[in-house]
């Protein structure tokens, strides 16, 4: 247990593209808020390659295993043969099997719906992200969708436990088991079984993903926690982000048994990198999730107070119209960070 006054060592991976810019702004805000953190910078992605190492250096993974917590900017995977996604590799190697993405309407960010409050829980280790692709003939390639009963059970337990702890009322599985009878079937069966056996307190439903998406964009308030296999979770995260203002405002966390890694849903957005227009809020919100995680896991009241201060400050900034361009404002990255820092009470 870390008591107030102690600093939690956290691995910081700035990443590529807009990663270093938004990370810099977020660190400034965390420091201004006196967050009880001590950074250990590590590399991954293009930044690691350019420093003369592997795209995902072993020492980066070791550092995360050692500290148990990391804040990560988006990493770019070099184009070409021989490189599998850095972000996917990291989740697999650290066994960060549960991805959690809260998608909420934010005051000061007007969108089509006002009361969106969803949590997307994505299985992070298998499905079509198995990386098992083969060329069978010149004309045919195959891609394997992997589902194991153990991983399906594990994520189902995680989702229902999360829903219970956070006082959420319903878990919905999106699936395509009418077509992928075995792989999506096993995912759905696991959720159904775990619900029936251990979580009668939570409402449970299943939706075929195409119809589910239609319902989601018609009225997102009919859903609460969405439980999805890997690829569906990826797609639905961006779709849901579109309901609340876009990728600039959706944070994320990846949890395993031994460590947790916090990162925004967005990628490295090379199209806007270096132009001082990216929104650092998604990474800042991920950092707030990290502080809450430390507060809970290590019973650190100071982390909890700090997370509240930052949340209140960015909410006030948005309410006052202090916004980056993606949200209809005019502020650059550091100017937005200044606006948040000025409002830290
Ligand atoms: P990946 O494949 O790594 O997930 P992607 O192709 O989905 O990446 P992103 O990098 O997530 O693409 O970004 C998609 C678009 O959304 C970008 O081109 C950019 O215009 C916008 N975008 C993403 N993140 C932000 C941000 N933080 N602030 C402003 N705009 C953003």
């Amino acid at each position: 247990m870390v008591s107030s006054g102690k600093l939690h060592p956290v691995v910081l991976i700035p990443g590529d593209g807009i990663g270093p810019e938004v990370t810099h702004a977020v660190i400034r805000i965390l420091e201004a808020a006196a967050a009880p953190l001590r950074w250990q910078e590590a590399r991954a992605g293009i930044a690691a390659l350019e420093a003369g190492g592997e795209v995902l250096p072993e020492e980066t993974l070791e550092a995360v295993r050692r500290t148990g917590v990391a804040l990560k900017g988006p990493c770019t995977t070099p184009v070409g043969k021989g490189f599998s996604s850095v972000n996917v590799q990291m989740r697999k190697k650290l066994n960060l099997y549960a991805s959690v993405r809260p998608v909420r309407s934010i005051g000061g960010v007007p969108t089509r719906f006002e009361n969106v409050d969803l949590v997307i829980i994505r299985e992070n280790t298998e499905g079509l992200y198995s990386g098992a692709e083969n060329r069978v003939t010149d004309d045919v390639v195959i891609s394997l969708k992997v589902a194991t009963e153990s991983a399906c059970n594990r994520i189902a337990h995680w989702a229902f436990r999360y829903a219970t702890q956070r006082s959420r009322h319903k878990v919905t599985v999106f699936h395509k088991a009418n077509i992928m009878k075995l792989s999506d079937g096993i995912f759905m069966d696991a959720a159904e079984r775990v619900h029936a056996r251990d979580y009668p307190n939570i409402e449970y439903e299943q939706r075929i993903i195409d119809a589910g998406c239609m319902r989601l964009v018609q009225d997102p308030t009919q859903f609460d926690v969405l439980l999805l296999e890997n690829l569906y979770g990826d797609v639905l995260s961006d779709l849901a982000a579109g309901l609340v203002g876009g990728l600039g405002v959706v944070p994320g966390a990846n949890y395993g048994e031994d460590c947790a890694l916090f990162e925004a849903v967005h990628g490295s957005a090379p199209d806007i990198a270096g132009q001082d227009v990216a929104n650092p809020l998604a990474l800042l919100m991920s950092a707030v999730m990290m502080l809450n995680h430390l507060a809970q896991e290590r019973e650190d009241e100071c982390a909890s107070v700090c997370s509240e201060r930052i949340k209140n400050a960015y909410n006030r900034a948005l309410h006052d119209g202090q916004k980056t361009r993606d949200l209809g404002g005019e502020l650059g990255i550091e100017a937005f960070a200044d606006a948040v820092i000025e409002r830290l009470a």
Side-chain angles (χ1 to χ4, degrees):
M1 181 173 126
V2 176
S3 61
S4 290
K6 291 234 176 103
L7 302 180
H8 304 273
V10 171
V11 173
L12 175 70
I13 304 169
D16 304 309
I18 59 171
E21 307 169 58
V22 292
T23 303
H24 185 267
V26 168
I27 300 303
R28 256 190 347 106
I29 296 167
L30 289 167
E31 284 176 356
L37 306 170
R38 180 160 48 78
W39 302 110
Q40 292 183 13
E41 197 162 324
R43 292 195 183 94
I46 302 272
L49 268 190
E50 284 177 355
E54 300 284 314
V55 72
L56 181 53
E58 189 49 41
E59 62 256 33
T60 298
L61 294 170
E62 250 329 292
V64 182
R65 287 189 192 107
R66 217 171 32 243
T67 58
V69 185
L71 181 66
K72 173 182 165 295
C75 292
T76 303
T77 303
V79 183
K81 291 204 167 128
F83 293 112
S84 60
S85 162
V86 182
N87 304 309
V88 174
Q89 269 193 69
M90 198 174 299
R91 292 168 198 157
K92 281 190 185 167
K93 288 188 172 164
L94 295 169
N95 204 16
L96 299 166
Y97 62 88
S99 165
V100 178
R101 288 143 172 206
V103 180
R104 290 196 189 97
S105 302
I106 304 166
V109 181
T111 51
R112 191 180 302 262
F113 301 100
E114 282 178 2
N115 305 314
V116 181
D117 182 8
L118 299 165
V119 179
I120 292 180
I121 297 183
R122 166 186 179 187
E123 202 292 322
N124 239 354
T125 62
E126 35 181 58
L128 280 167
Y129 285 66
S130 66
E133 284 195 307
N134 285 306
R135 178 170 290 285
V136 182
T137 68
D138 283 349
D139 191 40
V140 179
V141 293
I142 56 165
S143 195
L144 289 186
K145 176 160 172 163
V146 175
T148 63
E149 199 165 317
S150 49
C152 293
N153 279 331
R154 182 172 71 169
I155 194 70
H157 274 290
W158 206 97
F160 281 106
R161 194 173 56 235
Y162 176 95
T164 304
Q165 285 170 351
R166 306 290 170 122
S167 307
R168 311 291 303 209
H169 69 278
K170 180 166 76 171
V171 171
T172 306
V173 165
F174 275 21
H175 67 90
K176 193 76 182 173
N178 50 332
I179 303 297
M180 280 159 281
K181 295 187 195 312
L182 288 180
S183 55
D184 280 14
I186 199 177
F187 189 87
M188 209 169 69
D189 289 349
E192 206 172 299
R193 219 174 25 246
V194 168
H195 170 250
R197 200 183 51 208
D198 298 329
Y199 293 95
N201 55 314
I202 304 283
E203 196 185 324
Y204 171 66
E205 65 180 13
Q206 303 162 344
R207 297 256 172 245
I208 295 181
I209 188 161
D210 39 3
C213 284
M214 182 200 64
R215 284 170 171 267
L216 189 62
V217 296
Q218 278 182 326
D219 175 16
T221 62
Q222 64 192 293
F223 295 107
D224 186 13
V225 175
L226 300 181
L227 170 59
L228 305 136
E229 66 84 77
N230 211 340
L231 179 64
Y232 304 157
D234 181 46
V235 176
L236 264 286
S237 296
D238 279 33
L239 184 149
L243 298 170
V244 296
L247 286 169
V249 296
V250 181
N254 302 287
Y255 297 101
E257 300 303 343
D258 306 314
C259 42
L261 182 146
F262 298 82
E263 62 181 340
V265 169
H266 63 72
S268 55
D271 57 323
I272 55 167
Q275 298 169 31
D276 193 26
V277 295
N279 191 346
L281 197 47
L283 186 65
L284 182 62
M285 290 167 154
S286 308
V288 165
M289 289 176 80
M290 182 177 79
L291 287 167
N292 288 334
H293 170 74
L294 289 168
Q296 191 188 328
E297 292 296 306
R298 303 184 189 174
E299 297 173 26
D300 184 359
E301 177 65 16
C302 175
S304 165
V305 169
C306 183
S307 114
E308 245 348 84
R309 284 181 72 206
I310 296 174
K311 212 162 71 181
N312 290 337
Y314 70 64
N315 280 332
R316 254 181 243 133
L318 295 172
H319 182 263
D320 294 345
Q322 302 292 308
K323 294 187 270 192
T324 46
R325 218 174 57 177
D326 56 312
L327 301 181
E330 290 177 350
L331 297 183
I333 305 174
E334 296 296 339
F336 177 73
D338 288 337
V340 175
I341 290 169
E342 280 162 22
R343 288 166 177 78
L344 282 169

